[in-house]
Structures are given as structure tokens and as C-alpha cells.
Amino acid sequence: MRTLLALAGFLAVQDGGTAKILEKYSAARPAERELAFFRHDWEPSYEKAKERAAREGRPIFLVAISNLNGYDNLYTGHC
Amino acid sequence: MRGGSLSHPEVIEALKPFIVTSWYVSNADFGEMPAELLRLQREAGLRHEGNIGCFVLDEKARLVRGFHPWPGPTPNSLGFDKDRMGRHLRAEIDKATKEMKLPEVKKEERPIKLPDVERGVRIFLKLDSRTASFRTPVVETVPSKPVDAQVLAWPREEREIPVEKLKAWFDPIFPPGVMDQGPGTYARFGGRLTIKPAGPRAAVLSGDVELVMGDRGATAIRGRLEVALAYEADAMKSLRGVFEGNYPKRDPMRGGVHDIRMTAAIESRPD
């Protein structure tokens, strides 16, 4: 976060249009409350989740989307 | 489900001991479901009319319980109410974990861990729509390729960058909740982008862009990309930017088209 602010400060000082772009970027980047879904301990690949579960002795919560007509990536949100 | 029940605080708490994962239809496996998932569906007694199944598995990936996330084939059965959907899912998880010995978890909230990439960009896509599946942010990552350094090299003076050269950024900026689209949705990229100096170690990349889908109607998303870039010597060090555009969504039921505003925040990784 500190690096992000430092970079934002650096670019704002340069200006030439960069300050306004950084404002728009900040407004467009989702707030933490919108990203609560990523508080889960995600393992995007089911195969890797099984390996981790065995290694860490932990259960798995699997969401399977069987809409076979289209692309549905629950993890990234393109679903 | 992503922005509703799976983001509900009670569900987040209940799933703390779990590794959470998903299986979905990728471009490679349209029309096919792995035998293992079919077996889980069958063992759990899930019907086919609901196309989302939740499975609680033990550490050896053996089925404990499977269920649909709503008491019916669609979230409509709970009026698309996030709180009701969350409480329903929590109750279903609790039924599954009643007899399980779960590992102990820390009391404090787990920090947000976003999709990430060793070197590249991360994109947050939001659509301004009444439909919840459009509003929940999409988070995609794009790994850098060696050619990117050349494309985004320090501009001693203003120069043009063909939109196609940034295809990897635009590919994931397609609307969610549109079932017949996936990575590689865009058949053609139009518009004009330029990069120009904006100070001793900064530059601005901007321009109007047209992203044309490969569907029968050649649906085109038109918008503007604006990116601020920071440099060390001639090498791009970091960037922050935004794409703002319009998605002309066709209404197959009532006919006509209505524009949905799309916004994507773009940031380089690592910071």
C-alpha cells in the first residue's frame, strides 16, 4: 500500500495528466468491502486444492459450475 | 453467488477451516464434465436442473455432503436476497460440518488475498448494472511478455501503439454473466492509442478503443484507455490506469439494446 501511495505521489508530482488518471484509477479500483469473496483461502485449481488438503489436513469446499454451454470462472468472476 | 452468499460474513466465517476451490467450464472442456465431478454429483444425489453444486469434502477429498446453494434451481427462490442466500448457504454448510472434526482456525478475520501474478498487470472490472452478477468486481491477472517492455518503452516523443499490441490487457475486459463469451471473446481490436512523455520519468498512454466480439452481431465495446506510467531510465517500472467503456447489451426477451457502463482499473504487479 505504501508503495502504491508513493507511486501515486510520484506520478502526481510529474502531472502532465497523470494526477487525473490516478484519481480515476483510485475511484475505479474496488473497495475492500467489495472484495470480501477473496477472504476465503482460495486455491483456484481443484487438483491443487486436493494436494493442499492432503498436505495440510484440511477439508475442501468445492463449488462446481456445470453450465456446459459457457465459460464460468467463479474465482476471477467471469461467470 | 460470488458477490452474494460466498461474500456473506457468516459464510466467510464458516469456511475459515476450508480450502475453497471451484470447477468451471474452461475453453478447453466445453460440453464435458470430469468423471470425478459426475461421481460427486451422483453420490450427493444432486439433480441436474441446478447448474451449481457445492460439495463439502474431507482432507482426502471424500464427499461429506453435497447441496445446491439455493433451495431451488436459481437464486430467484430466495428473491436474489444476498442476506437470505448467505444464511441459507451457512445453514447447509453447518449441516455438513456437524459431524466433522474441523481444524482450529484463528479468530481474526482472514486478510483479502487477490489473484496475483509474479510480473504483469492486475485488472479490476466492474459493470454499472442492476444485475448483481455484473456489479461484483471481476479480478483478472495478465502475465507480462518480453515484448511488453518494448511496447511500453520510454517515449522520447509521442508515438502510436497499435491497440492489438495490448490485446492481452483487453482480452479479460469482457462482461461477466454473458454465457457464450470467454477468454478470446474479441475478434478484432480497433481505435488509436498514443504514448507520450508526461514529465522526466513519467508517460501517459491514452486513446479511444474498440473491442469487437466474435458474435454474429459483432457487438462492439467502445471506450477510452488512460494509463499513467512511471519509468526508471528507459524501462517501465510501474503503471496505473483505467478503461471506461460501454457494453451494448442486447435484450433477447424484449429486443433492443441498452448500454452498460464498464470500468476497469489496471495496475502493474508487483507494486
Side-chain angles (χ1 to χ4, degrees):
Chain A
M1 188 53 149
R2 203 181 303 158
T3 321
L4 175 72
L5 292 173
L7 174 81
F10 164 73
L11 282 167
V13 168
Q14 306 269 328
D15 207 4
T18 56
K20 200 168 179 183
I21 294 171
L22 290 170
E23 267 176 41
K24 284 187 181 180
Y25 156 79
S26 297
R29 195 183 194 275
E32 271 212 353
R33 65 184 151 71
E34 296 174 89
L35 299 167
F37 174 81
F38 292 106
R39 286 198 193 280
H40 295 296
D41 184 5
W42 270 97
E43 181 54 70
S45 147
Y46 175 46
E47 291 307 314
K48 283 188 182 158
K50 287 193 287 186
E51 288 169 21
R52 270 188 64 196
R55 203 169 52 237
E56 298 171 22
R58 292 173 61 198
I60 297 171
F61 185 75
L62 164 68
V63 183
I65 304 175
S66 55
N67 160 35
L68 298 176
N69 299 316
Y71 179 82
D72 270 307
N73 188 335
L74 183 74
Y75 176 59
T76 66
H78 267 127
C79 54
Chain B
M1 189 177 184
R2 209 169 155 268
S5 51
L6 276 175
S7 294
H8 195 281
E10 288 185 24
V11 171
I12 290 174
E13 187 60 32
L15 291 179
K16 263 187 179 176
F18 286 80
I19 294 167
V20 178
T21 190
S22 70
W23 182 86
Y24 61 94
V25 178
S26 68
N27 282 5
D29 52 21
F30 277 128
E32 277 185 54
M33 199 165 176
E36 186 179 345
L37 289 170
L38 287 171
R39 178 180 56 76
L40 285 174
Q41 270 194 338
R42 204 170 44 245
E43 281 180 21
L46 293 191
R47 298 159 314 198
H48 281 288
E49 56 261 40
N51 65 11
I52 303 182
C54 299
F55 301 92
V56 170
L57 311 177
D58 69 9
E59 73 282 0
K60 290 183 177 160
R62 292 175 300 208
L63 179 72
V64 176
R65 186 165 181 268
F67 48 87
H68 290 299
W70 308 288
T74 76
N76 194 24
S77 55
L78 292 174
F80 290 100
D81 183 306
K82 283 184 182 183
D83 191 48
R84 289 177 70 198
M85 290 193 287
R87 281 185 284 118
H88 176 81
L89 184 58
R90 170 68 194 246
E92 292 295 317
I93 294 166
D94 286 348
K95 281 183 209 166
T97 55
K98 206 167 48 182
E99 305 293 326
M100 290 174 81
K101 186 167 165 31
L102 296 173
E104 282 184 25
V105 289
K106 289 181 183 167
K107 279 190 178 147
E108 58 263 33
E109 201 171 45
R110 192 189 292 278
I112 287 172
K113 192 176 171 214
L114 296 171
D116 211 347
V117 63
E118 201 173 316
R119 190 152 209 82
V121 296
R122 181 158 56 200
I123 297 169
F124 300 86
L125 173 66
K126 283 196 285 189
L127 271 72
D128 187 8
S129 166
R130 278 178 299 176
T131 310
S133 59
F134 278 179
R135 279 198 316 267
T136 307
V138 170
V139 185
E140 293 274 7
T141 55
V142 180
S144 282
K145 289 186 185 150
V147 72
D148 295 343
Q150 215 178 320
V151 173
L152 299 173
W154 168 249
R156 292 186 192 287
E157 54 190 22
E158 182 168 342
R159 69 168 189 268
E160 197 165 326
I161 294 182
V163 178
E164 184 83 30
K165 295 269 185 195
L166 294 176
K167 176 181 184 300
W169 290 10
F170 292 118
D171 257 340
I173 305 181
F174 69 90
V178 183
M179 289 195 300
D180 56 348
Q181 290 159 19
T185 280
Y186 297 119
R188 190 166 58 78
F189 300 84
R192 184 174 182 269
L193 289 172
T194 60
I195 188 167
K196 62 182 181 188
R201 284 182 295 148
V204 165
L205 162 68
S206 63
D208 294 330
V209 173
E210 187 184 49
L211 313 173
V212 186
M213 295 179 185
D215 59 353
R216 214 163 24 166
T219 305
I221 290 171
R222 294 185 179 86
R224 185 165 180 78
L225 178 74
E226 292 178 291
V227 183
L229 306 101
Y231 288 81
E232 259 179 10
D234 281 2
M236 199 278 291
K237 182 188 165 201
S238 192
L239 65 84
R240 301 281 180 269
V242 65
F243 172 79
E244 294 170 300
N246 272 314
Y247 165 45
K249 187 175 188 321
R250 283 175 216 290
D251 186 334
M253 306 301 282
R254 279 171 250 166
V257 173
H258 64 276
D259 283 337
I260 299 177
R261 190 178 154 82
M262 283 175 69
T263 311
I266 303 168
E267 62 189 23
S268 54
R269 297 297 298 157
D271 263 340

